Amino acid sequence: MFKFLETFMVVYRTHSFSLAAQQLFITQPTVSNQIKQLEAQLNTELFERKSRRESVPTPAADILYKRSAKILDDWHDINTEITDLQASKKAHVRFGISQTVSRILFARIANQLNQRQPDVHYDVTVSNSEGVLTLLEDYKIDLGIIEKPLVTEHVKRLSIGKDQLVKAGTPTGTWITREAGSGIGYYTEQYFREADIHPIRLIHVNNSGLIRRIVSTGVGQALLSSKDVPENVQVETLGSAFIRDFYLLTRDEDLQVPLLMAITELIKQVTDNLDA
């Protein structure tokens, strides 16, 4: 049943049985069979097959999708609790962080977790800012840390530090930036608008570390955190207009969970002294 729900959620997002099969690394007939079994159990149709490539969710699918993430998260928690009970009874937290956070901030948090919460097990998933938010909404992580100012229902956003963006690299007319959904991509587009910049060539890269390496070779320019600029690279400060926040994301329903409250407080203390 739970595997069927996982398959259903991917089909719902992609509107495609074939794309869902690719993402789940299973065959399309397997996807179709699982959806048919789920429809049989619910005695309703979940998707209207408009064509071989598109499947449109029905109103029943809309209802099921809203509940499925919570059902799967509860099942995950049950499994985790039983596993912890049988093993070491240690707590477990899942973090989702953006790439800039992974490069310049999370190591400090991990250090303090190791010192002050040694019994906590944790996993870390790195994605862009919008990807982290989606993971939180889908109950696949417990806490998110991003730098793009996203707002959504039922998710609390707390500013936990400042970060100065700078223009780094050689002015060749080429700009290197991140993909849509990322913090760097968001602020780069903002900078283009405000400075009326029209790049001769625009290179999109989905990895902040690769942007640093490309910039260091003299290919072009990019917006980077002032804390993440390669050595011997030309830098131009952008001033206070491009001081951005790091944000801690939590679901409203988790605000009173003691472990998450303790880790939230720890993260705030780690980031209180960040230099802008």
Side-chain angles (χ1 to χ4, degrees):
M1 176 65 173
F2 298 105
K3 183 175 293 294
F4 294 171
L5 285 177
E6 290 173 348
T7 299
F8 160 77
M9 292 182 70
V10 178
V11 175
Y12 185 95
R13 293 194 197 101
T14 61
H15 286 205
S16 169
F17 281 52
S18 59
L19 288 177
Q22 292 176 25
Q23 291 187 21
L24 294 167
F25 300 101
I26 58 179
T27 66
Q28 185 171 334
T30 299
V31 171
S32 298
N33 182 57
Q34 290 181 1
I35 296 301
K36 285 180 181 177
Q37 292 189 58
L38 192 57
E39 288 176 328
Q41 290 183 28
L42 296 172
N43 194 30
T44 189
E45 186 179 38
L46 295 173
F47 297 98
E48 295 180 16
R49 281 67 166 181
K50 294 292 186 182
S51 68
R52 293 183 61 186
R53 302 181 64 87
E54 183 181 15
S55 298
V56 178
T58 65
D62 294 336
I63 294 172
L64 180 60
Y65 183 80
K66 292 177 182 178
R67 301 293 185 114
S68 292
K70 186 65 168 64
I71 292 170
L72 290 172
D73 188 61
D74 287 343
W75 179 245
H76 177 275
D77 287 346
I78 291 169
N79 277 280
T80 299
E81 289 180 22
I82 292 175
T83 300
D84 289 344
L85 182 64
Q86 293 172 339
S88 60
K89 298 183 180 179
K90 292 186 178 180
H92 184 266
V93 176
R94 298 165 296 167
F95 290 95
I97 61 176
S98 65
Q99 290 197 28
T100 299
V101 171
S102 75
R103 294 184 61 80
I104 69 176
L105 179 57
F106 195 78
R108 304 187 193 189
I109 296 171
N111 177 271
Q112 289 302 304
L113 277 172
N114 186 57
Q115 293 184 37
R116 296 160 57 181
Q117 295 279 1
D119 292 332
V120 173
H121 288 195
Y122 59 92
D123 299 324
V124 183
T125 299
V126 180
S127 182
N128 62 38
S129 293
E130 290 187 8
V132 170
L133 177 60
T134 298
L135 289 171
L136 187 69
E137 291 179 318
D138 287 350
Y139 292 84
K140 293 182 178 178
I141 59 172
D142 304 301
L143 294 170
I145 308 176
I146 63 175
E147 71 272 6
K148 185 176 179 180
L150 301 173
V151 178
T152 190
E153 190 178 10
H154 305 310
V155 171
K156 180 177 176 60
R157 189 184 77 184
L158 174 68
S159 175
I160 57 170
K162 302 289 185 181
D163 181 46
Q164 173 71 64
L165 290 174
V166 297
K167 181 167 63 175
T170 306
T172 64
T174 293
W175 278 80
I176 307 97
T177 186
R178 288 283 307 282
E179 76 284 0
S182 69
I184 286 292
Y186 169 82
Y187 285 103
T188 300
E189 289 295 328
Q190 179 179 323
Y191 178 69
F192 286 168
R193 289 193 298 270
E194 294 187 8
D196 195 27
I197 290 177
H198 304 279
I200 297 173
R201 181 170 59 168
L202 190 60
I203 301 172
H204 288 92
V205 178
N206 68 348
N207 182 282
S208 295
L210 181 56
I211 290 180
R212 290 181 77 256
R213 293 191 290 274
I214 293 174
V215 166
S216 69
T217 67
V219 169
Q221 294 174 292
L223 293 196
L224 293 172
S225 166
S226 61
K227 304 176 184 66
D228 198 31
V229 178
E231 293 183 5
N232 303 317
V233 168
Q234 180 179 334
V235 174
E236 179 182 333
T237 183
L238 300 179
S240 59
F242 285 86
I243 295 177
R244 61 181 178 174
D245 288 77
F246 288 120
Y247 298 105
L248 178 66
L249 305 181
T250 55
R251 288 184 294 266
D252 288 347
E253 64 201 73
D254 293 335
L255 293 177
Q256 302 304 316
V257 176
L259 176 60
L260 297 183
M261 291 173 63
I263 293 179
T264 295
E265 188 59 35
L266 180 151
I267 291 172
K268 289 166 58 179
Q269 292 174 16
V270 169
T271 55
D272 273 347
N273 297 319
L274 280 178
D275 295 325

